[in-house]
Amino acid sequence: MPYIANTDADRSEMLRAIGCFSFDQMWEKCGVTEARPHFNLPSGLSEYEVICHFRKLAAANAVHLVNFMGGGYYDHLIPAAVGELAGRSEFYTAYTPYQAEASQGTLQAIFEYQSMICRLTQMEVSNASLYDGGSALFEAMMMAVRVTKRRKAVVSGAVSPIYRKMLEDYSRNLDVELVTIPAGADGGSDPAAVAAAIDDDTAAMLVQYPNFFGHVEEWSSAIETAQSHGALAVASCYPIALAALKTPGEMGFDVVTGEGQSLGISLSFGGPYLGFMAVREKLMRKMPGRLVGRTVDRMGRTGFVLTLQTREQHIRREAATSNICSNENLCALSALIYLSLMGKNGLVEVAQMCQSNAVFCRDELLKISGVEAVGPGAFFNEFVVRLPMDAAEVAGRMIDKGYAAGFPLGRYYHGRENELLIALTEKRTREEIKGFVNAMEAALWN
Amino acid sequence: MELIFDCSRPGRRGSSIPKLRLPAASAVPENLRRKVPAELPELSQLDVVRHFTRLSQLNYGVDGNFYPLGSCTMKYNPKFHEEIARMPGFAELHPLLPQLRRGGALTQGALAVVYGVQTLLSELTGFAEATTQPMAGAHGELTGVMMIAAYFRHRGESARKVMLIPDAAHGTNPASASMAGFQIRVVATDGDGNVDLEDLRKKLGDDVAGLMLTCPNTLGLFDWHVREVCEMVHAAGGLCYCDGANFNAIIGRLRPGDLGFDVMHVNLHKTFATPHGGGGPGSGPVAVKEFLRPFLPISRVVKRADGTFYLAYDFPESIGYIAPFYGNFSVLLKAYAYMLTLGREGFIRVGENAVLNANYIQAHLRDVLDLKYDRLCMHECVLSAKRLVAKGIHALDLSKGMIDEKIHPPTMYFPMIVPEALMIEPTETESRETLDQFIAALRKVVAMADTAPEQLHAAPVSTPVSRLDETQAARKPDLSA
C-alpha cells in the first residue's frame, strides 16, 4: 500500500486540472520521455505481513546474551517515559525548526539539551548535536584546524580505534596530518608523551576520557602544554562517567565531544546515536552544527530560534564550518528527557552503580587462575583483563554460555590478543556478575 | 513556557533505578572525582511527562497538519514502523556483536535488513551496490564525493580538484565537496531551468572531477538535457553525482543510474517515509555503479551462497569508515518496512502522485504568484512572491500568514536564483481536499497583501510567540541556561 489518498476518480479530475489526459502525457510534459524500466522488486505486502517478517528477522538476532560489552557503546537502563515522550508524533513528524513560531517545542527542547550538556561537561556552549561520537571528534579536529590555521593533530592511541579510523579516513582528502602517540602496554594514554609531541605547528590534541581501555587519567598538564603552543585541547567523553569524574571543563579542555548513546538511546545495532560537542565561549562562532538561542518576540515574550546561522552551509556554502544540515534531534531530545528523569541525584546513583559493579566484577575475575590485571586500575566502569589464552576464542565460548563477554582487543591491537575489554552498567545484577565470572572460569579451564 | 530547570525542586525524583546490592566502590582516584554534581533538574516523573507533552504541543508535525516544506518530502510516516524499530531483537542489539568470533551468526536478522535495504535501493536507483552508512543526506554527499576523490587518486588523476555545482544547488553540495578536498566551480542555470550547457562546456576541463546535480533539480524541474549533461561530463573525464534529495518525484518511473549518473545518495527520511525527527536522525545511503564498488565504505554486508550474511572488510581501495558501524540502523528498519509494504506497484504510484499533487497546486496558484519557469513541475513547485514586494509584502510575510492559517509554510528563499521563492512540496500522501484547503489558504494570504498588509506584517498571532528577534539572538547569543 503506498499510503495514497486520492482515488482514480480524483486523479482523473486532477490530471484534467493540470491540462493532461493521462499520466503518460504528464510525464512527457515534464520532460520525462524514457520508457519506464522494469523494476525487479517484490510485490507489496500488508502491514501484518511486514510485521511478521520483521518478527522473524528480530528473532534471528541474539538478544538473550547478558551484556558485558561496551567499547564506547553501553547497555544502560532507559526509563519507558523516554520513548513515550520522544515518540510523540508532534516531535518526530516535525522537521527542522525553520519556522520558529511554529516550532517552539523543538527549539526549547534543543535549548534545554544544550544547557544540560554544558552542565554535564562544565563547558560554556553546546551545539544541537552531531551524528555520533566519531564524526563529532572529526568536526572538533577540523574546527581546530580552521581556528589555528595549522594542519597537525596529535592523537592519543588510546582514543577509540573506531574513532581514529574515522579521523584518518575522513582526512584523506584534506591537508591534515595525524600524529598518533601509541598507547602504553598497560593501555594508558601516556599524557606526557602526548604533550611532548605538541609543538607550535599543532592544531589540536585529541584524547579520550576515560580512554578506550577504560583508564581515567589526569590531562591538566598536557592541556596546559597544548594551550601554551596555541593548540586546542579536545576530549571525547563518556557522558555517564561525567557524573562521577572531574569534569573536562574543570580539567581545562577547549572542546568536549562524545558519544551520547548512553543517555537514554538504545543500542539499535549502531544507530542512530548522538554526537555531542561543547566548547569555550571564544569558539562559539567557529563551531559546526546547529545552535539554538533564546531571544524575545515582539511582545517581549521569551522564545527560541536557530541562531548564528552564518556559520552554516545554507548561507556560507563551501566556506561553511561543516556540511552538516541536520542534527540527531530526536536522539538529543531523548538524552534531554533521560537527564531530566534521572535528575541531579539519579545520574550520580547510576554512575555509582556502574563503578561498584565494575570493581566487584574485576576483583572476582582476577581471582580466576591465569586472569591478570592490565593497567593501574584507575577506571570508571570499563577495564581490561589479560586471559591465559586468545580472548576472541574466549568471547566465542562465552557466547555459547549466554554472555557477550566483552570486546577482544586483538581485533584492533596487535599484541593484545589475550586481552578482553569488559564494561559494566547499572543493569547488571550481583547474580549476573557472579554467573559471568563462573562462566569465564569454566570457559578458560574446563 | 518555563524551562525545565525552573520546574526543579530539591529532592524530587523522576526515575527509579535498582538498589545497589554490592558494597559501594569506585576505582576512580580521589583527585579525578567530580566534587559537585551536575546541576540537572530535580523533578517528579509526572513533572517531566507534563513538561515534554506541553512542549510537543507547541510544535507542528505531519500528523497534525499539512507540511508542504519544499525539498523535504514531508510525507506520512506509517505508524507500525515505530513498533518495528522498538522490537527488542533490534533495539537491544549491540553493534560490536558481529565483530566477535561466531558473532555474525547472532545478528543474521539485522544483517539481512542492511542487505535488503542495499539491494532494493540499488534496484530502485539503477546502481550496482549501495552503502547504508551515511547518517544523513549531507553525509551521503560527503561519502559520494569521497569515493570520487578516491577513484581519481587510484587512477593517478589527483589533479582533478574541481567539483562543478549548479548555482541552484543546495548549500550542502559545495560544503560536502569542500570537505572532500574539492574546489567549487559554479555552473549557471539556463532560461528554462535546466543546466546551461554552454556554461557547462566552458567550465569543464581536465581539472574537473565531476558534477553534482540534483535530479530532479532544485527548481523542482526535470532537466531535459540530463543525459547530455552526464555525457559531457564523462567526455571530459569527470564523474556525475546525483543528489537524490528529490528522488520522490521519479521513483518508480526512472532510475538515475540509467540516466548516466555514477553515484547517488537517497534520503530515507524523505523518499522512504522515515520520520524527520524535528531535524534528524536521517539516513543517506549511497549507491554506485560497478566501477566504483571497490571504493564503498567498509564494513560491507555480503551474502553467502547459502543465504547467510557476513561483514566484509578487505577492500583495499575503500574510503574506509564513514559511520562507526552500519549507519542509522533503526532508520533503515523503517525504510525497509516501507519498501516491503509498497512493493513494485506501490513505488510506481508514488512518483506519479507526487508529481500530480505538485502540479495541481501550481496550476491553482500560478495566477496569483509568479512562475519563473513556465512548465510542468515535478514533485514540487517554486513560485515567486516578487510581484508583492512593491506592496511591502515578502515571501516571509506570506509564510507567517500561512502559520495563522494553521498550515506549515513552504520552504522560503530557496533556490536562491528565484527571488522571493516559495517552494511547495505536497508529497503523494496528501488528499485533494488538503491541497484545495492549502490553495485556498495561500490565495487568501496573497490577497491580504492588498486588503490587510499590516495583518500579514504582524503574523503570526495565533502561535505561542510572535516573530522573534533574530538579530538580538545573533548579536548577544544566549545559548544555555
Side-chain angles (χ1 to χ4, degrees):
Chain A
M1 183 173 82
Y3 304 100
I4 289 167
N6 292 331
T7 61
D8 287 344
D10 292 325
R11 280 194 287 266
S12 305
E13 287 174 28
M14 290 169 74
L15 277 168
R16 269 202 300 281
I18 67 166
C20 296
F21 299 109
S22 65
F23 279 117
D24 283 344
Q25 195 191 8
M26 177 187 82
W27 287 119
E28 202 183 313
K29 283 192 179 186
C30 289
V32 178
T33 50
E34 285 85 352
R36 185 193 305 280
H38 174 74
F39 290 96
N40 184 20
L41 294 168
S43 287
L45 299 172
S46 70
E47 175 172 323
Y48 178 67
E49 289 166 308
V50 175
I51 287 183
C52 289
H53 182 63
F54 276 91
R55 281 192 188 134
K56 268 188 219 149
L57 291 170
N61 297 324
V63 282
H64 64 281
L65 300 174
V66 185
N67 197 358
F68 289 80
M69 186 154 64
Y73 309 91
Y74 301 94
D75 179 26
H76 287 284
L77 285 171
I78 304 176
V82 174
E84 287 293 320
L85 292 169
R88 287 186 63 88
S89 76
E90 296 90 335
F91 283 128
Y92 81 74
T93 71
Y95 199 27
T96 300
Y98 293 125
Q99 298 289 345
E101 303 88 346
S103 316
Q104 285 297 299
T106 295
L107 287 163
Q108 182 171 333
I110 297 175
F111 180 83
E112 292 177 352
Y113 161 83
Q114 290 173 180
S115 306
M116 292 269 190
I117 294 295
C118 289
R119 290 169 184 223
L120 197 56
T121 55
Q122 283 198 317
M123 298 295 285
E124 285 143 16
V125 179
S126 160
N127 71 9
S129 71
L130 300 165
Y131 303 130
D132 81 302
S135 57
L137 189 60
F138 167 74
E139 292 277 13
M141 177 177 82
M142 293 314 294
M143 173 170 60
V145 166
R146 282 192 306 274
V147 169
T148 62
K149 301 189 171 62
R150 300 174 184 176
R151 51 178 296 279
K152 186 167 99 178
V154 174
V155 188
S156 159
V159 167
S160 160
I162 295 172
Y163 292 2
R164 283 190 289 115
K165 179 87 168 79
M166 288 172 78
L167 291 177
E168 188 186 308
D169 293 339
Y170 276 62
S171 305
R172 216 175 288 175
N173 306 301
L174 303 172
D175 185 25
V176 175
E177 180 194 0
L178 295 175
V179 177
T180 303
I181 308 305
D186 64 354
S189 305
D190 200 349
V194 172
I198 296 167
D199 58 23
D200 290 342
D201 295 326
T202 306
M205 169 183 89
L206 308 176
V207 306
Q208 196 169 353
Y209 174 70
N211 80 16
F212 180 70
F213 305 100
H215 296 211
V216 176
E217 296 161 312
E218 176 60 79
W219 284 99
S220 302
S221 163
I223 292 168
E224 276 173 34
T225 305
Q227 289 166 347
S228 73
H229 285 284
L232 297 187
V234 180
S236 176
C237 295
Y238 171 22
I240 296 281
L242 297 186
L245 301 185
K246 181 176 176 180
T247 65
E250 189 185 349
M251 230 178 241
F253 284 103
D254 299 293
V255 186
V256 178
T257 66
E259 175 51 68
Q261 173 272 326
S262 56
L263 302 174
I265 297 158
S266 60
L267 284 163
S268 290
F269 204 52
Y273 289 163
L274 173 68
F276 67 86
M277 177 185 281
V279 301
R280 300 286 173 201
E281 196 164 346
K282 63 177 181 189
L283 295 169
M284 173 175 69
R285 288 172 195 274
K286 303 288 182 188
M287 85 187 302
R290 274 183 194 146
L291 289 168
V292 170
R294 181 161 55 181
T295 183
V296 291
D297 75 356
R298 289 171 170 180
M299 324 270 284
R301 291 174 296 199
T302 298
F304 302 87
V305 290
L306 293 174
T307 193
L308 302 182
Q309 296 188 68
T310 50
R311 300 164 299 116
E312 295 185 63
Q313 48 74 31
H314 59 282
I315 294 173
R316 194 61 66 81
R317 299 179 83 85
E318 65 267 29
T321 51
S322 167
N323 72 332
I324 196 163
C325 173
S326 58
N327 61 336
E328 296 294 275
N329 194 66
L330 213 58
C331 300
L333 176 66
S334 297
L336 167 64
I337 297 168
Y338 173 85
L339 289 169
S340 304
L341 288 165
M342 288 299 157
K344 184 177 178 178
N345 298 312
L347 197 70
V348 172
E349 284 170 27
V350 166
Q352 182 56 60
M353 245 182 125
C354 292
Q355 295 181 83
S356 302
N357 280 347
V359 168
F360 177 70
C361 183
R362 184 170 177 270
D363 288 348
E364 293 295 307
L365 284 170
L366 294 180
K367 289 177 188 165
I368 301 172
S369 171
V371 176
E372 294 168 8
V374 179
F379 60 91
F380 172 67
N381 73 330
E382 195 162 21
F383 55 86
V384 176
V385 291
R386 188 178 300 111
L387 306 176
M389 60 185 288
D390 182 69
E393 173 58 27
V394 176
R397 290 182 192 177
M398 289 295 280
I399 282 173
D400 298 336
K401 295 173 187 293
Y403 297 93
F407 193 68
L409 293 177
R411 182 177 159 74
Y412 286 104
Y413 295 92
H414 290 297
R416 296 189 189 273
E417 282 74 15
N418 285 11
E419 295 177 25
L420 189 65
L421 179 66
I422 296 169
L424 279 288
T425 69
E426 74 283 7
K427 268 174 100 167
R428 298 287 73 84
T429 63
R430 188 174 197 276
E431 290 67 35
E432 283 171 340
I433 298 169
K434 284 272 195 192
F436 173 68
V437 173
N438 289 338
M440 180 70 83
E441 185 162 24
L444 292 172
W445 298 110
N446 287 352
Chain B
M1 226 181 93
E2 260 192 317
L3 286 179
I4 193 142
F5 305 102
D6 301 330
C7 311
S8 176
R9 299 291 177 272
R12 287 200 183 147
R13 294 295 300 263
S15 61
S16 57
I17 55 172
K19 207 171 160 186
L20 182 62
R21 290 171 51 234
L22 289 168
S26 170
V28 177
E30 191 58 37
N31 62 321
L32 288 171
R33 290 186 194 171
R34 186 167 191 149
K35 300 294 185 294
V36 184
E39 275 304 320
L40 303 181
E42 297 176 80
L43 302 137
S44 75
Q45 192 164 109
L46 180 57
D47 291 337
V48 175
V49 169
R50 288 247 168 89
H51 179 78
F52 288 103
T53 301
R54 286 173 184 167
L55 276 188
S56 77
Q57 289 163 346
L58 303 182
N59 259 12
Y60 274 35
V62 173
D63 282 7
N65 309 73
F66 183 42
Y67 210 125
L69 199 60
S71 200
C72 299
T73 315
M74 303 299 289
K75 63 169 76 174
Y76 170 62
N77 309 135
K79 295 293 154 193
F80 81 98
H81 296 178
E82 303 301 312
E83 185 179 315
I84 287 172
R86 280 194 298 265
M87 288 178 179
F90 300 120
E92 295 176 11
L93 205 57
H94 198 292
L96 283 168
L97 214 47
Q99 299 188 19
L100 298 182
R101 195 166 295 177
R102 298 201 289 280
L106 305 170
T107 55
Q108 283 298 302
L111 295 177
V113 170
V114 177
Y115 185 84
V117 172
Q118 286 176 194
T119 310
L120 294 181
L121 279 182
S122 301
E123 177 63 23
L124 280 161
T125 54
F127 290 91
E129 189 170 337
T131 173
T132 60
Q133 279 194 34
M135 295 179 273
H139 205 218
E141 294 172 22
L142 177 63
T143 306
V145 290
M146 280 170 71
M147 281 192 267
I148 292 176
Y151 168 78
F152 285 118
R153 194 166 45 239
H154 180 67
R155 289 169 59 95
E157 293 183 67
S158 294
R160 293 190 179 271
K161 276 282 167 224
V162 172
M163 191 60 73
L164 301 181
I165 296 177
D167 52 7
H170 294 118
T172 49
N173 286 179
S176 300
S178 170
M179 275 175 82
F182 290 109
Q183 292 141 27
I184 312 306
R185 194 175 292 162
V186 176
V187 181
T189 301
D190 72 12
D192 294 317
N194 299 321
V195 170
D196 185 326
L197 297 181
E198 267 318 298
D199 194 49
L200 175 62
R201 197 163 289 127
K202 272 187 251 163
K203 302 287 168 68
L204 282 168
D206 55 13
D207 58 348
V208 169
L211 167 76
M212 294 179 84
L213 185 64
T214 307
C215 178
N217 71 22
T218 51
L219 296 159
L221 302 173
F222 186 75
D223 193 316
W224 300 322
H225 313 301
V226 61
R227 283 176 185 275
E228 200 178 340
V229 167
C230 290
E231 280 163 19
M232 284 168 67
V233 174
H234 286 153
L239 299 186
C240 294
Y241 180 94
C242 177
D243 180 326
N246 296 340
F247 188 42
N248 206 51
I250 53 170
I251 194 164
R253 180 64 185 82
L254 284 180
R255 300 191 300 187
D258 298 340
L259 296 175
F261 289 103
D262 303 295
V263 50
M264 173 189 184
H265 87 263
V266 296
N267 302 74
L268 297 186
H269 50 284
K270 296 179 180 177
T271 313
F272 293 90
T274 71
H276 286 69
S283 176
V286 171
V288 295
K289 287 277 174 66
E290 185 66 37
F291 73 97
L292 286 173
R293 272 176 120 153
F295 306 97
L296 282 165
I298 49 172
S299 58
R300 281 162 65 178
V301 179
V302 181
K303 191 175 189 174
R304 293 189 187 92
D306 67 0
T308 60
F309 302 95
Y310 69 101
L311 292 173
Y313 291 85
D314 190 15
F315 299 96
E317 305 306 328
S318 165
I319 60 166
Y321 283 26
I322 285 297
F325 299 104
Y326 328 103
N328 280 343
F329 178 74
S330 58
V331 181
L332 304 181
L333 282 172
K334 297 172 193 181
Y336 193 41
Y338 180 73
M339 293 182 206
L340 296 179
T341 307
L342 265 69
R344 190 174 167 276
E345 313 75 29
F347 277 116
I348 287 172
R349 292 177 62 186
V350 166
E352 61 190 24
N353 281 276
V355 173
L356 177 62
N357 278 1
N359 277 296
Y360 185 79
I361 288 178
Q362 178 171 292
H364 287 88
L365 289 173
R366 53 176 301 157
D367 58 326
V368 294
L369 292 167
D370 290 296
L371 197 54
K372 183 168 178 185
Y373 306 99
D374 189 5
R375 48 189 275 202
L376 281 199
C377 64
M378 295 293 278
H379 65 303
E380 62 195 359
C381 57
V382 181
L383 295 159
S384 165
K386 69 177 180 190
R387 71 169 76 166
L388 305 179
V389 171
K391 300 171 186 170
I393 296 297
H394 294 265
L396 178 75
D397 303 309
L398 297 181
S399 296
K400 299 306 181 190
M402 288 303 283
I403 295 177
D404 280 336
E405 297 297 315
K406 309 288 178 220
I407 294 176
H408 196 284
T411 294
M412 46 185 198
Y413 299 107
F414 183 83
M416 295 173 186
I417 61 170
V418 177
E420 300 292 329
L422 288 172
M423 181 189 245
I424 305 164
E425 180 181 9
T427 84
E428 76 282 4
T429 60
E430 297 295 338
S431 69
R432 184 184 175 184
E433 290 72 23
T434 302
L435 306 183
D436 286 337
Q437 285 161 16
F438 169 77
I439 290 161
L442 189 52
R443 292 184 75 94
K444 176 183 161 192
V445 169
V446 170
M448 284 167 69
D450 287 315
T451 59
E454 62 295 337
Q455 203 178 319
L456 277 186
H457 285 136
V461 294
S462 59
T463 41
V465 291
S466 60
R467 287 193 209 183
L468 290 151
D469 188 342
E470 297 192 17
T471 311
Q472 182 194 313
R475 206 167 281 162
K476 292 184 192 164
D478 176 10
L479 306 176
S480 64

